[in-house]
Amino acid sequence: MNVTLYKQMMKVNRKSFLNYSFGSAFYILLMFWLYPGLAKNTKAIDELVNSMPEGVGRAFGLNGFGSAEAFISGEYYGLILVLILAIVCVQLSTQLMAKLVDQGSMAYILSTPTTRGKVAFTQAAVLTSGLFVIMAITTLAGFIGSLWFLGDAYAFDTLTFIQMNIAAFLLFFAVGGISFLVSTLSNDEKKALSISGFITFGFFSLDLIGKFSEKIEWLRNISIFSLYQPGEIINGNANLAVSFILLSFIGLVSFGLAIVLFRRRNLLL
């Protein structure tokens, strides 16, 4: 890894990382703030959720309001956090590779005493570090929110909460790897952004649509988002070992393939 490049890229993207981190922290604190008020009417709200078609509840991760973790998994981890991290992966992976090639900045980087492999590995490390920072601050905000707004009045399962955060990080480690692979193979920033966005939100859409009905549930098998199941984690039905291993494998293979192919491809610099 090129340490100088890593420090520079982390500095360049620091504001973006912090903006997303504090945005995520704000939303999760908002969820914790809302829960005590909703918890007083859990029976009525749960009846409303149960009256909805089963597919709607599965699609949007409505796990009821019986616990703070169930509420947060559906209202935050099921949608808002997914959208935030999807945007981060698509945009940042494009900026770290395809944009530099498109604008000619990559030529200046490669003119220094370094190799293509080190540059690609460094940029991959920047993307992974950014995701880790966002999830670390989100997790910390969650613990602060549980202490601040829930206190001893409501039970909060810290282990389940940590598992949800690990699952979210590994999902977007995999998504980031795929987006990074697309970016390393493209000379055009807009093209890389479009393809990465199409793949990422295409996977998300397939998983979402597949939840609506058992007849089309097979669509979820095409999407890596099916390996991310915050609702199942809350219910204790998730096979965490399998999903964690598969997501880690997809991410490592994607990043590794991106580094290898970037070393071998012809660059228009």
Side-chain angles (χ1 to χ4, degrees):
M1 183 171 74
N2 188 314
V3 177
T4 302
L5 178 62
Y6 177 80
K7 290 180 178 179
Q8 180 61 28
M9 285 298 168
M10 288 298 292
K11 182 178 180 180
V12 168
N13 293 284
R14 178 176 57 193
K15 184 177 180 180
S16 178
F17 292 155
L18 292 178
N19 284 341
Y20 282 114
S21 296
F22 291 126
S24 178
F26 169 79
Y27 276 112
I28 197 169
L29 286 172
L30 179 63
M31 296 297 107
F32 277 101
W33 176 70
L34 289 172
Y35 180 72
L38 294 171
K40 298 176 182 177
N41 302 295
T42 54
K43 185 176 180 180
I45 297 174
D46 284 341
E47 288 177 356
L48 176 62
V49 171
N50 292 330
S51 68
M52 296 179 181
E54 183 180 352
V56 174
R58 288 200 307 157
F60 295 99
L62 300 178
N63 302 304
F65 296 80
S67 68
E69 311 92 73
F71 172 66
I72 293 168
S73 72
E75 300 301 318
Y76 186 68
Y77 284 84
L79 183 61
I80 298 176
L81 182 63
V82 169
L83 294 177
I84 291 174
L85 294 182
I87 293 171
V88 171
C89 286
V90 171
Q91 288 189 338
L92 186 58
S93 62
T94 302
Q95 292 173 3
L96 290 172
M97 296 300 289
K99 182 178 180 179
L100 297 179
V101 174
D102 192 11
Q103 295 183 346
S105 302
M106 185 62 74
Y108 293 101
I109 295 174
L110 293 176
S111 65
T112 62
T114 190
T115 64
R116 289 190 185 188
K118 285 185 178 181
V119 170
F121 183 86
T122 301
Q123 300 296 68
V126 172
L127 175 56
T128 304
S129 298
L131 291 172
F132 180 80
V133 168
I134 294 170
M135 286 310 307
I137 292 178
T138 299
T139 304
L140 179 61
F143 284 124
I144 293 173
S146 68
L147 293 173
W148 190 359
F149 298 114
L150 303 184
D152 297 326
Y154 302 93
F156 184 70
D157 191 335
T158 56
L159 178 59
T160 299
F161 181 67
I162 291 172
Q163 289 173 341
M164 283 198 298
N165 283 281
I166 294 173
F169 172 77
L170 290 178
L171 170 66
F172 286 97
F173 175 69
V175 171
I178 295 171
S179 299
F180 190 79
L181 175 59
V182 171
S183 185
T184 58
L185 297 177
S186 179
N187 294 323
D188 185 273
E189 177 187 357
K190 292 182 179 179
K191 184 178 180 181
L193 191 65
S194 299
I195 295 174
S196 296
F198 177 78
I199 293 173
T200 300
F201 290 100
F203 276 149
F204 174 74
S205 299
L206 287 172
D207 182 61
L208 182 66
I209 294 170
K211 291 177 180 177
F212 278 107
S213 172
E214 292 183 357
K215 295 180 179 179
I216 55 174
E217 192 172 6
W218 60 269
L219 289 172
R220 300 190 65 207
N221 297 328
I222 309 173
S223 172
I224 63 173
F225 280 80
S226 63
L227 297 171
Y228 174 65
Q229 303 171 327
E232 297 300 318
I233 293 175
I234 294 299
N235 298 327
N237 299 324
N239 192 333
L240 294 178
V242 172
S243 61
F244 285 5
I245 290 172
L246 286 175
L247 288 171
S248 299
F249 178 77
I250 293 170
L252 289 171
V253 169
S254 298
F255 278 118
L257 189 58
I259 294 169
V260 171
L261 293 178
F262 184 72
R263 290 173 60 188
R264 297 180 178 179
R265 64 170 296 212
N266 293 322
L267 290 174
L268 302 176
L269 299 176

